[in-house]
Amino acid sequence: MRLTSGPLRRLGCVLALSFRALMLREISGAWALDNGLAMTPTMGWLHWERFMCNTDCEEDPDSCVSEKLFMQMADIMASEGWKEVGYEYICIDDCWMASRRDSKQRLQADPKRFPSGIRHLSDYVHSKGLKLGIYADVGKKTCAGYPGSLGHYNIDAETFADWGVDLLKFDGCYCDSVEELANGYKHMSLALNKTGRSIVYSCEWPLYMWPFQKPNYTEIRRYCNHWRNFGDIYDSWQSIKTILAWTSANQWTLVRAAGPGGWNDPDMLVIGNFGLSWDQQVTQMALWAIMAAPLLMSNDLRHISSQAKTLLQNKDVIAINQDPLGKQGYLLRKEDSIEVWERPLSNLAWAVAVVNLQEIGGPRSYTISLTSLGQGMACNPACHITELLPVKTKLGFYEWTSYVKTRINPTGTVLLQLQISQTTF
Ligand code: GLA
């Protein structure tokens, strides 16, 4: 049976008095895809950024897109603490398919690289207490040129359900018009629903829509559990910076659209790879928590530094990402290359991220007036402040009229958590 839940209606609490808060409440009451899934952002692993379309298993047996790769990631996810902190979905991206459908028009996995088939892989992943994600495309072909789902939405949804798949990443390449794109995304959502299996539906609909027209997020939220808005992430600081800049530039459209059941997806976590310094990895982790982003790592869990692993497994930061209130954070202000982001959390708490975007010089000090946070409510009448990143430190008790001082490395972030206290002394 597919799980269902009624439309989500959440009461804003601390924000309820401000006009902006009323708007947010209105929006998080907007209908989400009614499948009961992704009530908090999806967590897992997705092969694309790190392994791309590497199909050469003879030359590169350990890093080609094959059942072995996913089984090894599942083993590690279950045995090295990932599952315990919430990472659950092992997701296949593009390049898993054979170049043709079978005689019954069903998609099939490449027989050399997936000799046991996807059903076997999903049984294996499930036996580890994890879930399996797969990839397909709304148009004629996938972005890498494998068979697309156009004209085959129902049969593909049924095939995925038969195989025991738990998440579908549905790409948007090779569509002839925005109508075809929108109809295809909707059709697949309904087809998945009809299978009766709980399948998280991960879309790229708005990303492919933006060049032609502003996406209708109310509609997208009704059909998708999360959606990519912006181009592909790369393993570089330039890429992280661009995603953050685009997100803040469009934040009043994006923040309104997010809430339990439906999330903006700024793309994979690239922490643990080659391109980001330690401070930049901290920035990605902190800001993906502020943005209520799906946490889909794309790295090699077999070879990852203990520092990156500790960051990705940081329970306090994951708790912010997974906060049940489900409100996405936003850029509050930018001053002299310092950005202050904030996110309302449940139990009247707030998360605040201070990012130092200056790429010259050393650590910079930045002082925040507590009255300026959370529309004046984040520390009212007083609060306890804990620095969660880069190093967990209890900063102590602060009154509303006081200031908190931070010191941030270039391209790094200080992530704070504020918890209201009713006692002033
Ligand atoms: C698009 C998507 C990526 C990835 C590739 C696969 O570019 O945005 O995330 O899925 O296709 O070809």
Side-chain angles (χ1 to χ4, degrees):
M1 271 292 279
R2 192 165 179 77
L3 298 170
T4 55
S5 69
L8 296 161
R9 301 202 185 282
R10 294 191 151 266
L11 285 179
C13 39
V14 67
L15 291 173
L17 293 177
S18 78
F19 173 66
R20 188 187 277 167
L22 284 174
M23 292 210 2
L24 284 173
R25 187 174 64 181
E26 189 70 3
I27 285 132
S28 61
W31 280 38
L33 172 57
D34 192 19
N35 63 4
L37 299 171
M39 298 309 283
T40 61
T42 303
M43 292 178 67
W45 183 92
L46 176 62
H47 95 246
W48 186 255
E49 193 287 322
R50 179 63 189 255
F51 296 96
M52 300 182 69
C53 194
N54 182 351
T55 53
D56 192 350
C57 293
E58 265 154 43
E59 190 57 38
D60 207 359
D62 292 332
S63 300
C64 65
V65 178
S66 69
E67 62 184 34
K68 194 177 100 187
L69 181 71
F70 297 99
M71 285 170 162
Q72 289 182 346
M73 292 306 158
D75 291 345
I76 296 176
M77 226 146 87
S79 64
E80 294 185 13
W82 301 100
K83 190 172 94 174
E84 282 69 25
V85 298
Y87 295 96
E88 191 181 14
Y89 289 81
I90 295 275
C91 302
I92 308 171
D93 206 290
D94 205 348
C95 305
W96 62 271
M97 296 174 198
S99 55
R100 288 210 168 75
R101 291 175 177 268
D102 71 8
S103 56
K104 293 183 179 146
Q105 291 303 306
R106 284 177 309 205
L107 290 171
Q108 47 187 346
D110 180 281
K112 283 221 179 80
R113 292 179 288 118
F114 293 83
S116 322
I118 304 292
R119 174 79 241 184
H120 178 267
L121 182 57
S122 89
D123 287 344
Y124 186 83
V125 166
H126 293 152
S127 76
K128 301 272 162 187
L130 299 168
K131 297 198 157 112
L132 184 71
I134 207 160
Y135 168 100
D137 189 286
V138 69
K140 287 190 282 292
K141 289 191 269 182
T142 73
C143 296
Y146 291 85
S149 294
L150 184 67
H152 297 88
Y153 299 131
N154 293 341
I155 189 173
D156 289 354
E158 281 156 23
T159 307
F160 298 145
D162 283 349
W163 285 344
V165 162
D166 307 291
L167 177 149
L168 173 65
K169 172 173 172 176
F170 209 39
D171 212 336
C173 277
Y174 296 105
C175 249
D176 286 337
S177 66
V178 283
E179 288 74 34
E180 189 173 276
L181 184 83
N183 290 338
Y185 271 105
K186 290 186 206 169
H187 192 145
M188 186 50 113
S189 179
L190 300 173
L192 289 172
N193 221 314
K194 249 194 353 234
T195 68
R197 186 172 174 84
S198 288
I199 300 176
V200 172
Y201 188 37
S202 167
C203 300
E204 299 200 34
W205 179 1
L207 161 60
Y208 289 90
M209 201 86 181
W210 271 107
F212 304 99
Q213 63 194 60
K214 188 174 173 185
N216 176 348
Y217 281 97
T218 311
E219 188 175 42
I220 288 166
R221 182 174 166 77
R222 248 186 252 139
Y223 290 95
C224 302
N225 290 120
H226 29 95
W227 48 83
R228 285 270 308 283
N229 296 303
F230 190 68
D232 293 359
I233 199 162
Y234 279 56
D235 185 15
S236 75
W237 175 237
Q238 178 61 32
S239 177
I240 304 287
K241 266 194 306 192
T242 315
I243 292 170
L244 292 176
W246 188 87
T247 303
S248 56
N250 292 283
Q251 63 184 357
W252 294 118
T253 302
L254 303 178
V255 168
R256 298 160 67 113
W263 312 97
N264 291 294
D265 177 6
D267 214 357
M268 294 156 268
L269 291 170
V270 293
I271 295 166
N273 291 324
F274 307 98
L276 301 185
S277 71
W278 165 245
D279 286 293
Q280 293 159 2
Q281 294 180 67
V282 166
T283 295
Q284 193 185 25
M285 194 68 190
L287 271 293
W288 263 235
I290 292 281
M291 293 188 290
L295 298 180
L296 292 168
M297 305 177 282
S298 193
N299 50 19
D300 190 342
L301 299 176
R302 299 164 301 185
H303 308 284
I304 189 165
S305 71
S306 57
Q307 204 185 24
K309 182 174 173 188
T310 306
L311 178 60
L312 287 162
Q313 293 192 356
N314 187 312
K315 287 187 185 152
D316 297 314
V317 183
I318 291 173
I320 290 176
N321 175 273
Q322 297 284 301
D323 185 83
L325 188 60
K327 286 190 189 297
Q328 178 172 340
Y330 47 84
L331 176 66
L332 177 65
R333 66 171 161 270
K334 182 166 183 167
E335 265 179 336
D336 195 15
S337 299
I338 300 271
E339 288 190 351
V340 181
W341 293 65
E342 63 178 17
R343 175 178 174 185
L345 304 171
S346 47
N347 300 320
L348 308 185
W350 285 78
V352 174
V354 190
V355 191
N356 176 6
L357 291 171
Q358 187 167 284
E359 294 175 32
I360 186 169
R364 290 172 70 199
S365 296
Y366 187 76
T367 300
I368 306 172
S369 148
L370 294 174
T371 55
S372 72
L373 297 176
Q375 291 124 34
M377 302 298 281
C379 190
N380 191 353
C383 62
H384 293 277
I385 304 184
T386 308
E387 177 182 307
L388 299 181
L389 287 175
V391 180
K392 187 165 182 178
T393 320
K394 284 198 167 153
L395 300 184
F397 180 78
Y398 289 74
E399 289 188 19
W400 188 57
T401 50
S402 62
Y403 295 81
V404 62
K405 226 178 141 174
T406 57
R407 201 168 160 75
I408 325 111
N409 290 345
T411 68
T413 294
V414 168
L415 180 65
L416 304 174
Q417 178 153 20
L418 281 68
Q419 180 62 60
I420 294 265
S421 157
Q422 292 305 332
T423 30
T424 36
F425 295 101

